[in-house]
């Protein structure tokens, strides 16, 4: 006896309705557009502000760097700058004081020389009056 190949036939009644189709799959879904973010800064990452799958745009903060070392260095630099300013101010005050003393000394010497000149003129006029 020979077995015949029989074709499977299914008949249905046509009617209007919604066509639904579903697909089930497992695995990792990745974006076609992936960007690598790099920096030349050498600070540790303090926190990551985005999650896997988040959409980010230009200017969005994606992570925060630990800048405590930078903050400490900045504070020390500000202290050093303030010390330099204070020293420069003190030196300027000393220079002004010395210049003021020198000015007063010169002024006294000038006045003394003027007095001596006036005395000499009077002496000469008394001894040798002009006709």
């Amino acid at each position: 006896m020979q077995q015949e190949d029989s074709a499977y036939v299914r008949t249905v009644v046509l009617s209007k309705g919604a066509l639904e189709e579903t697909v089930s799959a497992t695995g990792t879904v990745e974006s076609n557009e992936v960007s690598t973010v790099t920096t030349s800064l050498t600070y540790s990452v303090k926190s990551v502000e985005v999650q896997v799958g988040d959409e980010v745009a230009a200017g969005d903060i994606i992570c925060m760097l630990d800048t405590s070392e930078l903050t400490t260095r900045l504070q020390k630099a500000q202290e050093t700058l303030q010390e330099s300013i204070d020293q420069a101010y003190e030196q300027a005050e000393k220079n002004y004081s010395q210049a003021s003393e020198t000015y007063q000394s010169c002024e006294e010497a000038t006045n003394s020389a003027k007095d001596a000149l006036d005395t000499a003129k009077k002496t000469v006029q008394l001894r040798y009056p002009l006709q």
Side-chain angles (χ1 to χ4, degrees):
M1 235 178 167
Q2 198 178 28
Q3 198 173 17
E4 291 183 23
D5 287 331
S6 62
Y8 173 74
V9 176
R10 179 174 170 209
T11 58
V12 292
V13 177
L14 290 177
S15 64
K16 285 187 177 183
L19 183 61
E20 293 182 25
E21 188 174 325
T22 59
V23 176
S24 175
T26 60
T28 304
V29 177
E30 292 183 7
S31 172
N32 284 338
E33 295 181 31
V34 176
S35 297
T36 301
V37 179
T38 61
T39 180
S40 60
L41 301 175
T42 57
Y43 303 106
S44 301
V45 174
K46 185 175 183 179
S47 65
V48 177
E49 303 296 319
V50 293
Q51 301 296 321
V52 173
D54 286 354
E55 186 174 313
V56 295
D60 288 351
I61 295 175
I62 57 173
C63 71
M64 300 295 287
L65 300 179
D66 182 5
T67 58
S68 58
E69 178 187 336
L70 178 63
T71 302
T72 301
R73 287 175 41 203
L74 178 61
Q75 187 174 15
K76 286 181 182 177
Q78 287 173 330
E79 289 169 1
T80 301
L81 175 62
Q82 188 60 51
E83 288 172 7
S84 295
I85 290 170
D86 292 345
Q87 288 174 357
Y89 183 77
E90 287 175 22
Q91 187 61 47
E93 282 184 324
K94 285 179 186 177
N95 292 345
Y96 175 77
S97 179
Q98 289 173 350
S100 181
E101 288 174 11
T102 301
Y103 175 78
Q104 287 176 350
S105 177
C106 289
E107 193 172 41
E108 288 171 6
T110 301
N111 289 338
S112 179
K114 184 178 181 296
D115 290 345
L117 177 62
D118 289 343
T119 302
K121 282 181 180 178
K122 286 179 186 176
T123 302
V124 168
Q125 286 177 352
L126 286 175
R127 286 191 186 167
Y128 308 103
L130 293 175
Q131 299 174 355

